[in-house]
Amino acid sequence: MSITFDLIFLAALAFYFVVQSLVCLIEIVHLKRTINTVPTELAHKVTLAQHQKAAHYDIARTALNWLEVTVTSALILALTEGNIINEISDWLMMQGGDAFAFHWMLPALIGLMFVVVDLPFCWDKEFRLREAYGYCRVQQKKWFHVYFLETIIGWLAVLPILWIVLYLWRHTDDAWWLIGWGMYCVYLIFHLGLAKRLLYVIHQGRSTPIQDEAMINALAHLGEDAKINVTGAAICRADDNEDLPPAFAYGHNNNVRLFFRADCVAYMNTTDLVAIAAHALARNRSHMYLQSWVVCAAVGFVVFAFLNWLAPQSWFLDEIGFRVYGPGPYY
């Protein structure tokens, strides 16, 4: 039997499903085996009832993750081997008859399908389950409104980006993938949650300086112990709580500024704030945010370069039976 792209694709999908399933299964087995024993390091802080509650929550959440992986894999299989993509393609071409519109709407509709499938799982994991175990303080209506709005806006935001990439593909010859990669690098700033933090770094008047002398002294001592010169600390706006980590730092070792989330300052004592400040300083020293951006940008470069090579090819689409309408990036 000859190895075709169809078999490679099915093998990759099966590998993804098996690995994800094993990870979920191992986690559930481990949680069930340790559910009746509090770790020694936490015995003086966590009761057995609290430990068991957290374990039951993690087991339920992992089971939902497993179910989501199963449903997602089934959807991918139905779209490809089940010929659903071809049916969508034919319907789009009959509706519009324009190759450019076809290549724009096809990935948009497929993406919307995954968003719709993901919605009930996100609802179960991020709200219903957390509310059942007392880990959620947000009202049901507000949570759904925020999630639904962010998801739809996120999907809509991809549409003009996809349109621009397709336009560049048609009008910039071989340079389209470099321009697309540059746009992806800018997009990463928002996707990795760096945009809001950069806003505070660029516009420092957006935050409120900390006036508590005890807190200022504690942070100064922390900086001395870590050999970092903490030149200032500020509180971010309460409206940005959802978009920021508990604390983040910016600058070099001889000039570092700390920023704290408003709700953390409101509900935590000085000792806890110093702890999350230490975490923020460690991340800043390791350049974690920059490293994340560089790694993702490098992977994106490889992907875009691969797409540039793959765009004119049609053999792999023929092997999996995917009908395409050209000229376009899928032909």
Side-chain angles (χ1 to χ4, degrees):
M1 182 178 64
S2 61
I3 298 178
T4 63
F5 187 84
D6 189 23
L7 291 176
I8 295 174
F9 170 78
L10 290 175
L13 181 60
F15 178 78
Y16 160 80
F17 174 74
V18 170
V19 170
Q20 294 290 336
S21 298
L22 284 175
V23 170
C24 293
L25 179 60
I26 291 172
E27 184 174 353
I28 291 175
V29 171
H30 172 74
L31 288 168
K32 287 185 176 181
R33 290 180 60 184
T34 59
I35 194 170
N36 294 319
T37 305
V38 180
T40 306
E41 312 83 53
L42 301 176
H44 64 289
K45 291 185 177 181
V46 179
T47 65
L48 179 60
Q50 292 173 326
H51 172 72
Q52 291 177 331
K53 177 182 177 182
H56 283 300
Y57 169 78
D58 285 339
I59 291 172
R61 187 179 178 89
T62 304
L64 284 172
N65 287 335
W66 196 353
L67 179 60
E68 184 177 12
V69 167
T70 303
V71 173
T72 301
S73 300
L75 176 59
I76 295 173
L77 193 63
L79 286 170
T80 52
E81 299 299 319
N83 214 37
I84 294 179
I85 288 184
N86 279 337
E87 295 179 4
I88 296 175
S89 301
D90 294 340
W91 180 80
L92 283 175
M93 186 52 67
M94 286 188 298
Q95 296 299 316
D98 179 70
F100 186 89
F102 164 79
H103 293 122
W104 180 51
M105 288 305 300
L106 179 61
L109 285 178
I110 293 175
L112 183 60
M113 291 176 64
F114 280 95
V115 168
V116 172
V117 169
D118 181 65
L119 179 60
F121 292 104
C122 189
W123 166 261
D124 272 343
K125 291 188 296 184
E126 303 302 330
F127 181 80
R128 186 194 61 79
L129 190 62
R130 294 177 65 183
E131 183 185 45
Y133 282 86
Y135 296 148
C136 184
R137 300 179 180 178
V138 181
Q139 293 182 353
Q140 174 178 325
K141 184 177 180 180
K142 182 179 179 180
W143 184 93
F144 189 81
H145 174 76
V146 171
Y147 173 80
F148 185 79
L149 188 63
E150 288 182 351
T151 302
I152 295 301
I153 290 178
W155 178 76
L156 291 175
V158 172
L159 297 183
I161 295 175
L162 180 61
W163 188 93
I164 293 172
V165 170
L166 290 174
Y167 180 86
L168 292 173
W169 183 87
R170 277 194 170 186
H171 295 88
T172 58
D173 298 326
D174 293 335
W176 75 270
W177 69 278
L178 285 173
I179 301 174
W181 174 68
M183 294 171 58
Y184 171 73
C185 290
V186 175
Y187 163 76
L188 281 175
I189 297 176
F190 297 89
H191 180 69
L192 296 176
L194 304 179
K196 191 72 71 172
R197 302 173 206 182
L198 287 175
L199 184 61
Y200 277 96
V201 172
I202 296 171
H203 181 44
Q204 296 185 4
R206 185 178 178 86
S207 58
T208 304
I210 291 180
Q211 304 295 336
D212 187 351
E213 289 294 333
M215 182 63 184
I216 294 174
N217 292 333
L219 293 176
H221 288 306
L222 174 65
E224 291 175 2
D225 293 339
K227 297 181 180 179
I228 296 175
N229 184 23
V230 179
T231 58
I235 306 171
C236 301
R237 293 183 179 180
D239 295 342
D240 297 330
N241 286 342
E242 295 293 332
D243 302 317
L244 296 172
F248 63 97
Y250 174 80
H252 299 289
N253 289 344
N254 59 345
N255 184 17
V256 176
R257 286 184 57 83
L258 278 164
F259 297 88
F260 292 89
R261 213 167 61 192
D263 58 342
C264 293
V265 176
Y267 296 108
M268 289 184 175
N269 56 37
T270 301
T271 302
D272 293 335
L273 291 174
V274 170
I276 63 174
H279 189 203
L281 291 175
R283 286 181 295 181
N284 183 69
R285 171 172 281 181
S286 65
H287 307 291
M288 187 188 76
Y289 301 130
L290 178 61
Q291 288 179 11
S292 300
W293 182 87
V294 170
V295 169
C296 292
V299 172
F301 181 86
V302 174
V303 171
F304 273 90
F306 174 73
L307 290 176
N308 183 50
W309 170 82
L310 193 64
Q313 312 295 330
S314 63
W315 55 267
F316 72 101
L317 294 174
D318 294 334
E319 288 188 1
I320 65 175
F322 178 27
R323 292 191 300 275
V324 295
Y325 299 92
Y330 314 128
Y331 185 75

